Amino acid sequence: MNSIMENGMDGLHHSGVQMVQYLQMNYKSSQDWFMFISFAADLRNTFFIFFPIWFHLCESVGIKLIWVAVIGDWLNLVFKWILFGQRPYWWVHETSYYVNTSSPDIMQFPVTCETGPGSPSGHAMGSSSVYYVMTCAALSLLKSHTSFKSRCQRWCLWSFFWTVQVNVCLSRVFVAAHFPHQVIAGVISGMLVAEVFGNVRSIYKASLKRYVYTTLFLFSFALGFYLVLKAVGVDLLWTLEKAKRWCDRPEWIHIDTTPFAGLLRNLGILFGLGLALNSQMYKESCQGKLSSQFPFRLCCMATSLFVLHIFDSFKPPTKVEMVFYLLSFCKSAAVPLTCVGIVPYCISHIINKKGKIL
């Protein structure tokens, strides 16, 4: 039975490698585009770009984006640890499938050498969940009184959604970071996470205690799962050694692609959101008299994007892993604090002072 399953997976992986080769040979001129898409699909852009925009347009959508992104990426980590998915760029060198022939030659790129397991694709899962939330939110904001116009809006928005997902999937396969079945699984699971959170209303009024308990639970479960399996001889960081062995260039391996780096980065975002939404700064600004005024919201949005862009240029030192993880957590926690608390609070005080002077 095991040999049948292994042969089946080898055949699936082989067809995936053929897809990688086909894309790299026939769409080489689109390399820059696929590289850009792979970069744009990173969850970092959800936190630094989409969240500030949506939070100041519609707070509930911004909050949902954070919960969907964080819980979705946490589930992605757990799935990866359970499924032990290979990645094309190392599988072609280690499989016995090509014992009688030469291994296929596939190109690598700066975004190829992810260090975690490959299934399901984190980029595809994150992209589908985040864009699903934004698409549904846009549809609710653009409700039309005419059925024809409503159908056109729905068709345009969902066409855009699927165009993005197809491009993300093709990008991840092109750079040899994932097999086709892994990106498809990522898209489906991401949409399921977003759909489930569409019916969870408690996240919008969650207390700081709930944010703290949720953060601790997610971290404790992941760490406990890792330690239990390690105790029975299963090394969940087995992929790190493969990445170091088969990546064409050592500088393409980044510590922020390791499983625990992503986990702590996301948990920092969730914890920071809890602090911000339960802070006095948020209550005085985003829930104050100015909160209903669109110019105030627009100013908060633009300022948040500018400040976060500068803030993102700070890169935690990577020499000591524990220091990197701690600083990554703190940096992530500062993102929603800046967007939800500090920036609106400062802008509201500036406007109020000008009003008093006038």
Side-chain angles (χ1 to χ4, degrees):
M1 179 63 73
N2 287 338
S3 61
I4 294 175
M5 288 184 64
E6 287 179 10
N7 290 336
M9 287 305 299
D10 282 343
L12 185 63
H13 288 149
H14 170 64
S15 63
V17 169
Q18 288 183 311
M19 181 66 173
V20 173
Q21 286 185 302
Y22 175 81
L23 289 174
Q24 290 184 349
M25 289 176 61
N26 293 279
Y27 296 92
K28 193 172 183 179
S29 60
S30 302
Q31 174 181 326
D32 291 339
W33 170 251
F34 284 133
M35 293 275 287
F36 167 75
I37 290 294
S38 195
F39 166 78
D42 194 283
L43 270 185
R44 168 195 159 281
N45 294 308
T46 297
F47 304 139
F48 282 85
I49 299 175
F50 298 145
F51 170 67
I53 293 173
W54 276 103
F55 182 83
H56 292 296
L57 280 179
C58 181
E59 285 190 12
S60 60
V61 178
I63 293 170
K64 188 193 292 187
L65 274 178
I66 294 296
W67 278 88
V68 166
V70 170
I71 300 299
D73 207 50
W74 179 82
L75 287 171
N76 181 265
L77 173 64
V78 174
F79 288 154
K80 282 181 174 179
W81 278 350
I82 293 173
L83 297 175
F84 282 77
Q86 303 284 336
R87 289 185 185 269
Y89 79 91
W90 75 57
W91 180 82
V92 293
H93 298 291
E94 297 196 340
T95 181
S96 59
Y97 189 84
Y98 303 110
V99 66
N100 296 321
T101 59
S102 58
S103 300
D105 185 26
I106 56 177
M107 292 186 292
Q108 294 184 21
F109 306 90
V111 294
T112 296
C113 302
E114 298 274 354
T115 58
S119 188
S121 166
H123 279 70
M125 188 170 176
S127 172
S128 64
S129 62
V130 167
Y131 276 86
Y132 189 91
V133 170
M134 293 193 295
T135 301
C136 292
L139 283 171
S140 65
L141 292 174
L142 296 174
K143 282 184 178 177
S144 174
H145 296 294
T146 62
S147 58
F148 175 75
K149 191 174 181 179
S150 178
R151 285 197 298 269
C152 286
Q153 290 172 349
R154 291 181 65 85
W155 185 87
C156 289
L157 285 171
W158 285 116
S159 295
F160 176 73
F161 170 82
W162 284 112
T163 299
V164 171
Q165 304 320 311
V166 168
N167 274 276
V168 170
C169 291
L170 291 176
S171 166
R172 300 307 288 165
V173 174
F174 177 87
V175 300
H178 287 289
F179 294 100
H181 70 278
Q182 295 173 341
V183 292
I184 293 171
V187 170
I188 295 171
S189 50
M191 291 174 65
L192 288 174
V193 170
E195 183 63 30
V196 167
F197 267 87
N199 302 314
V200 178
R201 314 307 304 174
S202 58
I203 60 174
Y204 306 117
K205 299 295 181 182
S207 64
L208 178 58
K209 183 183 291 187
R210 180 170 184 180
Y211 275 96
V212 172
Y213 285 165
T214 302
T215 302
L216 288 174
F217 169 77
L218 296 177
F219 178 74
S220 300
F221 185 95
L223 181 61
F225 189 51
Y226 169 77
L227 293 175
V228 167
L229 289 183
K230 189 174 184 180
V232 297
V234 179
D235 182 15
L236 292 178
L237 300 182
W238 59 278
T239 55
L240 189 57
E241 183 271 332
K242 291 181 182 292
K244 290 179 178 178
R245 180 187 301 176
W246 298 115
C247 187
D248 282 350
R249 298 186 185 180
E251 64 269 22
W252 288 351
I253 299 175
H254 303 288
I255 189 173
D256 59 357
T257 67
T258 59
F260 278 108
L263 175 67
L264 289 169
R265 180 176 61 245
N266 294 337
L267 294 184
I269 289 285
L270 187 64
F271 178 69
L273 179 64
L275 284 178
L277 291 175
N278 291 278
S279 68
Q280 193 62 33
M281 290 186 296
Y282 168 74
K283 293 173 183 176
E284 290 183 16
S285 55
C286 292
Q287 290 188 329
K289 295 179 181 178
L290 292 171
S291 62
S292 59
Q293 299 179 17
F294 184 71
F296 169 72
R297 292 275 181 178
L298 191 62
C299 187
C300 290
M301 182 197 304
T303 306
S304 295
L305 288 170
F306 176 73
V307 172
L308 291 180
H309 175 71
I310 297 174
F311 182 63
D312 191 37
S313 62
F314 165 70
K315 305 297 181 184
T318 59
K319 289 184 178 180
V320 182
E321 279 194 45
M322 293 306 296
V323 173
F324 173 82
Y325 292 152
L326 178 61
L327 291 177
S328 293
F329 180 88
C330 295
K331 177 183 176 180
S332 296
V335 171
L337 271 173
T338 300
C339 178
V340 175
I342 298 173
V343 167
Y345 180 79
C346 292
I347 291 176
S348 65
H349 269 253
I350 292 171
I351 293 174
N352 288 332
K353 280 186 178 180
K354 285 186 176 179
K356 289 178 181 179
I357 293 172
L358 295 173

